Amino acid sequence: MRQTLDLHLLGAVASQSNPFPMRLLRRIPLLVAIGVFRLVHWWLDALLAEEARLSWEGGLWCGVDEEVEAACGDGVVSSSNEMQELWPLGEVDQKGTRFPCCIVWTPLPVVSWLAPYIGHVGIAREDGTVMDFAGSNFVSVDDLAYGSAARYLQLDRRKCCFPANLAAHVCARSYEHSEAGTAISWDDALQSGARRFEHKCYNLFTCNSHSFVASCLNRLAYGGSVGWNVLNLAALVWLRGRWLGKMAVVRSLLPFAAVACVGVLMAGWSFLIGMAAFSSLLLGWFVLGVYCFKGLVC
């Protein structure tokens, strides 16, 4: 009995004399959270730098637009303000689910509960009808998969390039645009993208709804760029998109908050470590697939 008591006393003294490991273990969740925050911060900085580059190229694109119109005269069809005057866009009808020339976003079941920045996107035609890559060999029309839209971003058609021929390009990357595919109107670009993705297999990690919308933006040469991909598209929607009311925020973020709280109560702080690791692996996969191993993520 006395020996057992002595062992307990020695253990208590040892733990008090060397508290560093216990403090380190308690700070592991905080260190992991800081690491994830820095990774996301680096990712956003890189995407903002890419957006600034696109904006700068957009300025060049406007100058090229004027030069092409001056050189080609009235015989060349261009994509300047004339199209905006001929086909004015209607207002966004949230109740009627009409989003003219918009990108829309909705949360994904289960995946968005663990990583709320992951979701399903679609792109709308000029009349507001939403098109989205909903499954293998299937592009849905006017029926957004996984529920109604929660966020939207209306795009400006004046930042697109609709060349009737190679000489009518108004973007700075005419040859790259021709290789990516061109269109003579907004709806024509979406229809061409839909025909292409009707022959593709859906995969969350390699070919998803973001891939379809990015392909349409490349056909439009939106912002004078044909370098749209799943990452800068997701950043564009999250940084510039708008919520469709308070209920959209609740149904998008409440499941994530509920899962996090229940997980911490049942498994402790290690559950948050697992969620942070899942988000880091998911983000890292798309960074590698888009920028390091090109062609892995379409």
Side-chain angles (χ1 to χ4, degrees):
M1 184 70 180
R2 183 175 181 181
Q3 291 179 353
T4 304
L5 182 61
D6 290 341
L7 290 175
H8 283 294
L9 290 175
L10 289 175
V13 171
S15 62
Q16 291 179 0
S17 61
N18 191 19
F20 178 74
M22 294 300 298
R23 292 181 180 178
L24 182 60
L25 290 175
R26 292 175 182 176
R27 292 182 179 179
I28 285 179
L30 179 61
L31 294 175
V32 172
I34 292 175
V36 173
F37 173 77
R38 289 183 176 179
L39 178 63
V40 174
H41 186 267
W42 169 82
W43 174 60
L44 290 177
D45 285 343
L47 292 176
L48 288 175
E50 178 72 10
E51 185 179 355
R53 184 185 67 82
L54 294 178
S55 299
W56 180 76
E57 290 181 353
L60 293 178
W61 165 78
C62 293
V64 173
D65 188 3
E66 296 175 357
E67 292 178 2
V68 169
E69 289 182 356
C72 298
D74 298 333
V76 174
V77 179
S78 68
S79 61
S80 60
N81 297 334
E82 296 177 359
M83 181 167 292
Q84 293 281 16
E85 296 174 357
L86 290 175
W87 297 286
L89 291 180
E91 297 293 332
V92 174
D93 183 13
Q94 301 179 8
K95 296 181 180 180
T97 63
R98 287 292 179 265
F99 305 90
C101 295
C102 290
I103 299 175
V104 295
W105 179 93
T106 189
L108 279 172
V110 182
V111 180
S112 297
W113 302 352
L114 302 176
Y117 56 87
I118 299 294
H120 181 82
V121 296
I123 187 168
R125 299 187 304 208
E126 291 178 318
D127 62 356
T129 303
V130 176
M131 302 176 65
D132 64 298
F133 185 42
S136 297
N137 308 319
F138 178 63
V139 176
S140 176
V141 179
D142 202 18
D143 186 17
L144 184 65
Y146 307 108
S148 59
R151 290 175 68 86
Y152 76 96
L153 172 66
Q154 191 167 38
L155 303 179
D156 188 356
R157 288 179 300 176
R158 291 173 297 181
K159 295 183 179 180
C160 300
C161 176
F162 303 118
N165 49 57
L166 187 60
H169 275 276
V170 294
C171 59
R173 301 176 178 271
S174 58
Y175 292 102
E176 295 180 10
H177 186 196
S178 298
E179 292 179 357
T182 60
I184 59 175
S185 68
W186 180 278
D187 290 350
D188 181 48
L190 271 59
Q191 193 63 32
S192 300
R195 285 195 297 266
R196 179 191 174 196
F197 275 78
E198 284 176 352
H199 302 281
K200 286 185 173 292
C201 294
Y202 184 93
N203 189 301
L204 178 64
F205 300 102
T206 58
C207 187
N208 52 44
S209 61
H210 287 73
S211 305
F212 168 66
V213 176
S215 175
C216 292
L217 293 182
N218 287 329
R219 291 177 181 273
L220 293 166
Y222 185 75
S225 172
V226 291
W228 291 100
N229 54 59
V230 295
L231 288 176
N232 53 25
L233 172 63
L236 179 70
V237 174
W238 271 100
L239 294 176
R240 295 193 173 183
R242 297 181 179 180
W243 290 103
L244 287 168
K246 296 180 180 179
M247 288 304 299
V249 180
V250 171
R251 72 182 181 88
S252 299
L253 301 180
L254 182 60
F256 168 74
V259 169
C261 292
V262 173
V264 169
L265 291 176
M266 296 182 63
W269 292 105
S270 59
F271 184 79
L272 291 184
I273 298 177
M275 294 183 70
F278 174 77
S279 297
S280 301
L281 290 174
L282 199 60
L283 183 59
W285 164 262
F286 285 111
V287 170
L288 290 175
V290 170
Y291 296 111
C292 298
F293 303 98
K294 294 185 178 181
L296 183 61
V297 178
C298 64

